[in-house]
Amino acid sequence: MTTEPSSPPAFSTADLTEMHRRMLLIRGFEQRVADLYRDGEVPGFVHLSIGQEATAVGACWPLSPADVITSTHRGHGHCLAKGLDPLGMFAELMGKDQGTNRGRGGSMHIADPKLGIFGANGIVAAGLPIAVGAATAAQLRADGSVAVAFFGDGAAAQGAFHEALNLAAVWQLPTVFFCENNGYAEFSPASTQHAASLEQRAAGYGIDYVAVDGNDVAATAAVMGEVVLAARAGRGPAVVEAATYRWHGHYEGDPQRYRSADELHAWEARDPLLAQESRLREAGVGDDEIKALESSVADELDGAVEAARRLASPAAATLTDFVVHARPARPEPPPPREDAPVFRTMDAIRSALETELATDDRVFVAGIDVGAGGNVFGLTRGLAEQFGMRVRDTPISETAIMGLGVGAAMAGMRPVVELMYLDFLGVCFDQLLNQAAKLPFMTGGAAEMALTVRTQFGAGRSSGSQHSQSLEALLAHIPGLSVVMPSTPADTYGLLRAAIQDPNPVVFIENRLLYGMKGPQPPSDYILPIGKSAVVRPGTDVTVVSVSRMVHEAIAAAERVGDEGISVEVIDLRTVAPLDVAPILDSVHKTSRLLIAHEAAIPFGIGAEIAATVARDGFWDLDAPIERIGTAATPPPYAPELERAWLPDRDDIAETIRRLVAV
């Protein structure tokens, strides 16, 4: 539905003056950045918001420090309007160590979670699902805060836009989707980009829609005041579309051949600062006061630029800082007793989730059919009845689910979100690759990211090419992500609890063929350290390194060749990233032979990384070439005969062990 704005409230003269000051701050900041960029003092890409000052100030006017915004690549104005310090921002753009984000974010990634600024973003529409996550945290806490997601008109063509709006509408989240419609998606006129208006799209999701003159700061502030108040009261999300215009190109240096000088001049004549000056004069503010305000802001900005210039750049020795938050130091607990009660891997998952939900109010579980449906494999059955809104069914929207996790984690929650199949990673990869993994680093360590992504894989049941892939190497290649792959029920319980408690984003990969596996149940306080492998079978002749289900194939092969007098040591990685190399090197020092077995394709798999590391650090211990076992370099086949030929097993491992010993 469409909500018509009521008459603008009678803002006080002090309010109108403060609005003008904030717009002057944004305009002056951007003008100085343009000069600094021209002179080579600001590197990288710069996208300025000159002409759009009223949208930033008006949209942020009713927000409190507890409210959250997500921004765009053109985000300087939003950050300033939400209260970020110009000095820190200048320093950040100059790449200084005392910049807002320690010189790790730059123009497109400025953020300050302490102020509710969850980040400008270089990926179009990526901030919308993150805002949904922040709003979910607000709803669960019932703290009355809201999330405002800034986006440009071009973002409405992104799937993330639609997934975010739909999830916010379904859950009635306190989210305001604020569109700065400046008429252009990069170089293309908005009229050529969309078959339906934003108002029609909002109506399609049952979301209130309001249009406003984005060059009128008071009108924008009035509309946002009403919309934010409604969101705080539980009326759900809204879309606000502010018509505005950027005076500079899409980026600094843009030749702007796609628009005419007459069009630009027409919009410049509607300068939001000049319009506000007129309003101030009508309110009785004299020209001298206006000039004094302009002078004060100019002096503040000039001083900030000079101060930023004097700051030091980050030291090269700090290059690896902020990639991961320090994780708790955990000793390796003793294994569960052999006479302990027996439970299954599926029981371990449910028990770990139940324990964390019961002991930490920050934990919640979300995903497709994880609530009422109890998960497609029945792993979360009963948790929704026990924990209510903290176990939540989502639409089939993988990007929204991952963004929900990112935003909620930044808001201080400990979300556990489910990706139903690992193969579906491609649908939502941006939120892991460019958001979860990078935001702690790009914010100089300021962003929290205690996010757990549960997912599963497993070949051998003719599930076909899109439901069988082992993609751990793809995830392990991304700095900032941890990747865990347990092989036993006890390890599943201990590592899942550790993942949920970890301050870093963890992708927890289960093998569905192990869900029914039985093993001894550890005590309820059993937690394993992330990043530690385990020797699960000692031996002296050959080292076999494996992970997940293939560990059991390796053990079976080791027992088979053991009858032939070959002693095999089997190492279970348990964690793929970070990789625990020391036990592998120690074992190879003893056995002089190495075989790596995994369920993924051999080329570029984790076996290649392990082999390269051992070849470098344990070369003189080797008495035979390093061997790797994995699937053929094809997509997983459907026909059972082909799948058996494609998937390695204990026979392949045993044959390779014999060949290694014979060298």
Side-chain angles (χ1 to χ4, degrees):
M1 61 178 290
T2 300
T3 299
E4 294 295 336
S6 60
S7 301
F11 289 112
S12 69
T13 302
D15 284 342
L16 295 173
T17 303
E18 176 59 20
M19 290 176 189
H20 192 57
R21 187 195 70 81
R22 295 183 190 183
M23 288 197 294
L24 287 170
L25 191 71
I26 295 170
R27 175 72 59 87
F29 182 91
E30 298 287 59
Q31 289 171 333
R32 284 160 179 78
V33 170
D35 293 340
L36 293 167
Y37 183 80
R38 178 200 63 205
D39 296 340
E41 294 187 72
V42 169
F45 297 106
V46 168
H47 306 79
L48 301 182
S49 60
I50 295 176
Q52 299 183 189
E53 297 85 359
T55 57
V57 173
C60 291
W61 185 257
L63 302 184
S64 73
D67 296 323
V68 166
I69 67 168
T70 60
S71 185
T72 70
H73 53 272
R74 201 177 312 282
H76 303 161
H78 308 146
C79 295
L80 289 165
K82 190 64 167 62
L84 202 51
D85 172 36
L87 170 56
M89 290 180 62
F90 279 128
E92 181 62 29
L93 268 63
M94 294 180 189
K96 304 293 188 177
D97 187 51
Q98 293 185 47
T100 303
N101 304 124
R102 306 295 297 274
R104 269 73 173 179
S107 174
M108 286 191 289
H109 308 116
I110 288 181
D112 188 345
K114 296 188 300 297
L115 292 176
I117 301 169
F118 279 18
N121 210 302
I123 310 299
V124 174
L128 277 70
I130 295 173
V132 165
T136 300
Q139 188 182 72
L140 287 170
R141 290 170 173 154
D143 62 8
S145 63
V146 303
V148 176
F150 286 98
F151 66 101
D153 50 277
Q158 287 277 0
F161 164 86
H162 296 277
E163 292 190 25
L165 262 66
N166 185 56
L167 182 55
V170 169
W171 285 1
Q172 285 294 283
L173 295 173
T175 318
V176 180
F177 299 99
F178 190 94
C179 178
E180 293 176 304
N181 188 342
N182 61 27
Y184 288 92
E186 292 196 357
F187 312 143
S188 301
S191 59
T192 69
Q193 299 291 295
H194 308 293
S197 67
L198 190 56
E199 181 178 6
Q200 292 170 319
R201 292 166 190 251
Y205 294 110
I207 295 177
D208 286 356
Y209 168 89
V210 189
V212 67
D213 179 358
N215 278 16
D216 186 332
V217 66
T220 304
V223 162
M224 281 297 289
E226 292 185 5
V227 170
V228 167
L229 189 63
R232 293 196 203 281
R235 283 183 49 190
V239 171
V240 176
E241 184 172 19
T244 185
Y245 197 80
R246 55 171 164 83
W247 292 8
H248 284 218
H250 170 60
Y251 58 89
E252 287 303 280
D254 176 4
Q256 304 184 61
R257 298 188 182 95
Y258 49 87
R259 62 183 183 181
S260 69
D262 289 344
E263 177 183 290
L264 175 60
H265 294 331
W267 277 96
E268 287 177 337
R270 297 179 55 197
D271 185 345
L273 272 72
L274 293 179
Q276 188 67 359
E277 280 187 22
S278 297
R279 184 176 278 123
L280 287 174
R281 291 189 182 95
E282 291 172 4
V285 179
D287 288 347
D288 290 345
E289 293 178 71
I290 294 173
K291 293 297 182 185
L293 186 61
E294 293 172 353
S295 178
S296 173
V297 170
D299 289 345
E300 177 187 354
L301 292 170
D302 288 340
V305 169
E306 290 306 314
R309 283 174 170 148
R310 293 192 294 269
L311 297 174
S313 298
T318 67
L319 174 63
T320 59
D321 290 357
F322 315 121
V323 178
V324 295
H325 290 290
R327 48 179 37 108
R330 300 188 189 279
E332 180 86 22
R337 302 188 325 271
E338 289 299 324
D339 62 349
V342 172
F343 76 153
R344 301 166 297 176
T345 298
M346 62 191 304
D347 302 323
I349 294 166
R350 188 192 183 285
S351 182
L353 292 172
E354 183 178 28
T355 300
E356 292 300 318
L357 283 162
T359 56
D360 190 341
D361 290 342
R362 297 172 296 176
V363 176
F364 71 93
V365 177
I368 301 164
D369 294 326
V370 300
N375 168 274
V376 69
F377 299 102
L379 304 177
T380 58
R381 194 167 292 150
L383 292 179
E385 290 79 5
Q386 189 174 353
F387 296 101
M389 287 182 64
R390 291 171 59 210
V391 181
R392 317 188 76 165
D393 285 326
T394 67
I396 302 176
S397 304
E398 284 82 5
T399 291
I401 293 167
M402 293 301 119
L404 156 71
V406 171
M410 288 187 74
M413 302 293 280
R414 293 186 177 274
V416 182
V417 297
E418 180 176 303
L419 180 64
M420 186 181 289
Y421 283 81
L422 180 56
D423 310 70
F424 302 167
L425 177 66
V427 181
C428 57
F429 198 32
D430 171 68
Q431 287 293 331
L432 290 174
L433 169 69
N434 285 315
Q435 313 302 328
K438 294 178 181 176
L439 278 164
F441 179 80
M442 293 191 303
T443 60
E448 297 184 53
M449 199 55 65
L451 165 65
T452 303
V453 178
R454 278 192 52 254
T455 187
Q456 57 80 30
F457 79 110
R461 299 287 175 84
S462 290
S463 297
S465 293
Q466 295 179 348
H467 288 75
S468 306
Q469 297 170 95
S470 185
L471 301 174
E472 67 275 0
L474 185 63
L475 293 160
H477 191 65
I478 302 170
L481 289 185
S482 296
V483 183
V484 176
M485 299 181 71
S487 66
T488 69
D491 285 1
T492 299
Y493 177 85
L495 286 169
L496 182 52
R497 289 200 62 196
I500 297 171
Q501 295 180 21
D502 200 86
N504 301 290
V506 179
V507 183
F508 193 89
I509 305 175
E510 304 148 11
N511 190 300
R512 63 179 172 272
L513 273 65
L514 297 178
Y515 282 152
M517 179 185 178
K518 296 179 180 179
Q521 182 174 356
S524 60
D525 61 353
Y526 188 75
I527 302 179
L528 287 171
I530 288 177
K532 294 292 182 183
S533 57
V535 176
V536 294
R537 189 183 193 278
T540 58
D541 296 331
V542 179
T543 299
V544 178
V545 177
S546 193
V547 72
S548 191
R549 188 184 69 85
M550 289 299 290
V551 170
H552 303 288
E553 295 297 299
I555 291 172
E559 292 173 351
R560 182 177 299 177
V561 301
D563 295 338
E564 304 166 21
I566 303 173
S567 177
V568 178
E569 183 152 290
V570 179
I571 296 177
D572 182 353
L573 290 175
R574 301 195 298 196
T575 301
V576 172
L579 187 63
D580 186 15
V581 177
I584 301 172
L585 292 171
D586 290 343
S587 181
V588 169
H589 181 71
K590 176 174 56 175
T591 67
S592 301
R593 290 169 173 82
L594 174 63
L595 166 63
I596 307 122
H598 52 62
E599 201 167 308
I602 293 175
F604 307 100
I606 61 171
E609 176 65 24
I610 295 169
T613 301
V614 173
R616 180 193 64 199
D617 297 337
F619 178 80
W620 300 109
D621 290 326
L622 292 168
D623 289 341
I626 299 171
E627 292 280 358
R628 289 180 288 156
I629 284 180
T631 66
T634 73
Y638 166 72
E641 295 81 1
L642 288 176
E643 189 175 37
R644 281 192 291 271
W646 172 81
L647 187 64
D649 59 15
R650 61 193 63 184
D651 294 336
D652 299 312
I653 296 172
E655 180 183 346
T656 307
I657 290 171
R658 296 185 188 103
R659 188 168 65 248
L660 274 171
V661 173
V663 173

